[in-house]
Amino acid sequence: MVRSLIFTIVFYLNTAVLLVFGSPLLLAPRSWAMAGLRAHARTTVWWMRGKLGPRMEVRGRDRRPENA
C-alpha cells in the first residue's frame, strides 16, 4: 500500500515536470516530442522497477499456446 502511494506521487510529479519542460517540444520536430515521451516512460519504469521493486509472478506459462 505504501509503495503504491509513493509510486503514484512520483508518477504525478514526473508527469508534471514533463508537462512544464516538455511542452515546448510540441513546437519542435515530431522526433523531439517522441523523445520526450520516451524519457517520461523510461523514468517512470525506472522508478517502478529500480526504486520500488514490484514483485511479479507468472502462472500458467506451461499452458500457453505454441504460437504465443
Side-chain angles (χ1 to χ4, degrees):
M1 181 75 149
V2 174
R3 289 189 309 173
S4 295
L5 180 62
I6 292 170
F7 176 74
T8 301
I9 292 169
V10 169
F11 174 76
Y12 283 118
L13 287 174
N14 187 28
T15 301
V17 169
L18 176 75
L19 286 173
V20 170
F21 294 109
S23 293
L25 293 175
L26 294 174
L27 302 174
R30 181 181 172 148
S31 62
W32 294 13
M34 294 304 291
L37 291 174
R38 278 192 297 276
H40 178 260
R42 285 183 180 141
T43 56
T44 300
V45 170
W46 180 78
W47 268 102
M48 185 177 63
R49 285 187 184 159
K51 299 299 179 183
L52 300 176
R55 296 181 188 102
M56 183 173 71
E57 179 180 342
V58 177
R59 294 183 181 184
R61 183 178 285 180
D62 55 327
R63 293 187 294 259
R64 71 178 190 184
E66 290 293 322
N67 297 333

